[in-house]
Amino acid sequence: MKLIHYITFGFLTIITLAVFGLFVLDRTNLVAQNWNPLAPLDINAEITPVTKLQFRRALASKASCVDAMQQAGVDVRALDDFVDKNDERCGISDRVELRDLGAVKLSPIELNCAAALRLVMWSAHEARPLAREILGSDIARMEHFGSYNCREIRTTTGSSGRMSKHATARAVDISGFVLNDGIRISLKSDWENASNGEFLKQAHEGACNWFGVVLGPEYNALHADHFHMDIGAWPICR
C-alpha cells in the first residue's frame, strides 16, 4: 500500500509542478502564444501541436469564438440568436455575421460562430497557403452560395428526410475564389483544370482538417459547383 501512496503522491506532484510551470510561463510570456496551451487562439500564428487545443477552447463559447476572430482582424459581428417561427427545427444559435476572413474578402454571411471560425482557419492555414504555393498568388476574395437554409438534406434522388446543417447555419457552400492577380477560379469551371484543379483538390482536402463534413465535385452532381463544409458529428471527406 505504501508503494501505491508514493506513486500517487509522485504523480500528483508532477501534475502540480507542470500546471504551476505552465501558469508561470503564461504570466511571464516566455513561450510564444502559439506554443502556450493556456494562451488564447491566435488565428494568424503558425500551427503548432497546441493549436487544436486552443481552437477547441475558442469554440467553447460564442464570446471566445468571436474574440478569437476579432483579435485576428476578422470583421465579424455578434448577432442575437435567430429562431425560425415557421419550423422549430431551423434557426441559428451563436449567430454571427461574417463580413470578411481577415485578409480575404467575401460577401456578408450569417453563420453559427463555430462554422465561421472554422472557415477563417481554413482560409488562413489551408486555402491561402495553397494558392500561393500552387498558383503563385494569394486569395483576394472567396465566393460562396450562403449558409442558412431551412431545408432537409438533398440527394440525387430527392430529399433525405433529415435536416441539413444549413438549417442551423452550421454549413457553408464555397463556390470559388478570386486571386490577387484578378484571376477567378470556380469549382464549376476549374475542377478538372491542371493547376487550378490541383489547388481546388488540395483546398478540399485541407478543409477536412477543420470541418466534420466536406463534400465536393467528386461526391455527386449536386456538389459539382461548390464545396459543402459543415460541422458534422461523423467525419466525411469526399
Side-chain angles (χ1 to χ4, degrees):
M1 291 296 293
K2 287 186 177 180
L3 177 61
I4 295 176
H5 290 317
Y6 287 140
I7 292 174
T8 302
F9 176 77
F11 177 75
L12 292 176
T13 300
I14 292 171
I15 294 297
T16 301
L17 290 174
V19 172
F20 178 73
L22 287 173
F23 177 80
V24 171
L25 290 173
D26 182 55
R27 295 302 180 188
T28 55
N29 294 317
L30 293 177
V31 177
Q33 181 172 341
N34 59 333
W35 281 95
N36 183 352
L38 299 180
L41 175 69
D42 181 351
I43 290 170
N44 294 322
E46 182 182 353
I47 298 293
T48 73
V50 304
T51 300
K52 283 297 179 79
L53 174 62
Q54 296 174 335
F55 178 66
R56 286 195 294 271
R57 283 211 313 272
L59 293 174
S61 72
K62 181 179 180 179
S64 59
C65 177
V66 169
D67 184 64
M69 288 188 279
Q70 290 181 338
Q71 290 297 320
V74 175
D75 189 351
V76 60
R77 305 177 187 192
L79 302 175
D80 292 335
D81 288 355
F82 168 69
V83 178
D84 194 317
K85 296 180 180 179
N86 297 316
D87 192 328
E88 63 181 9
R89 299 173 299 175
C90 302
I92 311 175
S93 61
D94 293 339
R95 177 180 169 219
V96 299
E97 182 182 56
L98 198 58
R99 291 175 167 246
D100 65 33
L101 303 173
V104 176
K105 305 301 181 185
L106 84 168
S107 299
I109 182 175
E110 291 187 7
L111 290 158
N112 168 272
C113 196
L117 181 56
R118 291 172 187 275
L119 184 62
V120 170
M121 292 296 283
W122 173 62
S123 172
H125 297 288
E126 311 289 349
R128 292 183 62 205
L130 285 168
R132 293 192 292 265
E133 175 187 346
I134 298 172
L135 305 174
S137 180
D138 205 344
I139 297 171
R141 183 178 184 84
M142 195 176 294
E143 299 180 330
H144 63 80
F145 289 152
S147 174
Y148 181 73
N149 189 349
C150 183
R151 63 170 175 81
E152 296 179 346
I153 296 173
R154 291 193 288 253
T155 72
T156 53
T157 58
S159 177
S160 69
R162 295 180 292 114
M163 294 305 290
S164 167
K165 286 293 190 293
H166 284 290
T168 52
R170 288 176 167 84
V172 60
D173 291 339
I174 300 299
S175 59
F177 308 85
V178 178
L179 304 181
N180 281 347
D181 57 16
I183 293 176
R184 182 176 181 273
I185 299 174
S186 73
L187 272 78
K188 185 174 182 178
S189 302
D190 292 298
W191 184 256
E192 298 300 337
N193 179 285
S195 58
N196 292 354
E198 180 63 21
F199 159 70
L200 291 172
K201 290 176 174 66
Q202 290 197 36
H204 170 276
E205 184 177 350
C208 302
N209 293 327
W210 303 101
F211 289 88
V213 174
V214 181
L215 307 176
E218 294 182 0
Y219 178 60
N220 63 22
L222 296 175
H223 297 84
D225 59 356
H226 70 278
F227 293 144
H228 167 92
M229 305 188 295
D230 76 45
I231 307 173
W234 302 102
I236 300 175
C237 184
R238 297 177 61 185

